[in-house]
Amino acid sequence: MPEITPGFQRTVLDNGVRVLTESVPSVHSVAVGAWVDAGSRDERPAQGGITHFIEHMVFKGTRRRRGYLINQRMESVGGYLNAFTTKEHTCFYARGLDEHLGRALETVVDLVTEPTLPPREIEKEKDVVVEEIKMYEDAPEDHVFDHYEAVLYPDHPLGRPVIGTPETVRSFSQADLEGYIGQHYVPNRLVVSVAGRARHRDVVRHVERLLDGFERAPRPAEREPADGYAPAEVTIERPVQQAHLVLGTRSLGAQDPRRTVLSVLNTILGGGMSSRLNQNIREKYGWCYSVYSFVNVQTDSGDVGVYIGTDASRVDRSRVLIERELNKLAESPVSDRMLTRAKHQLKGSIVLGLESLSNRMQRAGRVELVHGREVPVEEVVAEIEAVTAEEVRALAEDLFAPGRLSTVALLPSA
């Protein structure tokens, strides 16, 4: 095989499909993803969960092969095939040896462009997804976040669960799925991303052949802005042993220039065992096993918050401690030592993540869909290095201003 030159390359095909490769000559495998710029945010209320349902259904058969052959396609050569759906994107991905690059590309592209959606399989898969919904509802840490998102984005697609509800899922027909695919699975919203031992021109040649005739009319992603936010408090009771508490607020979108400052802030607050939340609430008081902060980022919106699982008798006291840590971040800059440690931790997590080809493939696909260009890791590291303690404090002051926090508590029922 001719020598492979390491590095990132990007090509836009004549039909608008974007092809990305990050060549890594030192490995002997590839990670392949077909990304669709469509997620639960693109659904109308009656369509809740349809993007995720389509993610399931494409594995039930395509014009090239039956469902059981799709599942065997990569496993029979030592690889694997899977998919996931988010608020704004859907990804179908495969991992395998570099010698099976063509097979992996053919499989994921086939799922996106040639699903048959058999009506009998649709009815069977409804039962599967409803059971998946029940599974999440039986997991209190997942369930409390569904309510949290509903509080932050009331009457907005971002506030609805990606998986949908039993009622919406039961209502889907073949025509519904075909209509959604025809509207959103279009060339200008499709990205093929490959990381590993592969040459860019080989990938482009494969994709051009696989997409010959894929000429659906281009459609932009027309998404309802996530305007307006009113803090709220919600309490739910469930037959559980532990209380689950989430405090959070609306935050920054992926295009906001302060997004890197937010990442540093999140690392200081609740990113790891040395974070302020963990050292205070778990190590000092012993009130929990799990406490952490989180950041969710969409194209034009996002949220930041804190989760804790604790005994019901300690919910109010835990909330006081969490709010105290938020106020400390807003009132005075963190020390140089703490800032440096957070930067090292954040840079380390990014660079260590690049040891995984799957992470490289996913990073390239997400960045392309959000920013429309390559964002080199060196650029991200430079942005992290440039963050100052005062920028962290000022952002915390804006985000955690009095009256901005929403609270969702899932408590054990009597």
Side-chain angles (χ1 to χ4, degrees), residues 106-163:
E106 179 185 336
T107 304
V108 297
V109 170
D110 196 33
L111 293 175
V112 172
T113 60
E114 302 287 345
T116 52
L117 311 172
R120 181 179 177 185
E121 294 296 330
I122 289 174
E123 295 308 311
K124 286 166 56 180
E125 201 63 22
K126 288 178 181 180
D127 289 332
V128 173
V129 174
V130 168
E131 291 303 315
E132 187 179 359
I133 292 172
K134 293 176 184 177
M135 179 182 71
Y136 286 123
E137 289 182 345
D138 280 346
E141 186 172 342
D142 292 329
H143 197 48
V144 73
F145 274 98
D146 283 343
H147 286 275
Y148 165 74
E149 291 171 350
V151 165
L152 258 59
Y153 299 97
D155 302 317
H156 190 278
L158 288 175
R160 298 195 290 267
V162 171
I163 200 170

Side-chain angles (χ1 to χ4, degrees), residues 6 45 57 70 143 170 173 184 198 248 301 337 344 413:
M57 279 304 305
I70 293 173
H143 197 48
R170 293 286 186 200
S173 66
H184 297 287
S301 184
R337 181 180 178 183
H344 284 318
S413 56

Side-chain angles (χ1 to χ4, degrees), residues 19-41:
V19 181
L20 320 172
T21 61
E22 186 172 4
S23 299
V24 186
S26 59
V27 299
H28 296 281
S29 63
V30 288
V32 174
W35 292 77
V36 183
D37 190 16
S40 61
R41 183 175 184 176

Side-chain angles (χ1 to χ4, degrees), residues 30 60 84 131 194 218 318 354 367:
V30 288
K60 301 303 176 182
F84 61 83
E131 291 303 315
V194 175
S318 296
L354 297 179
V367 169

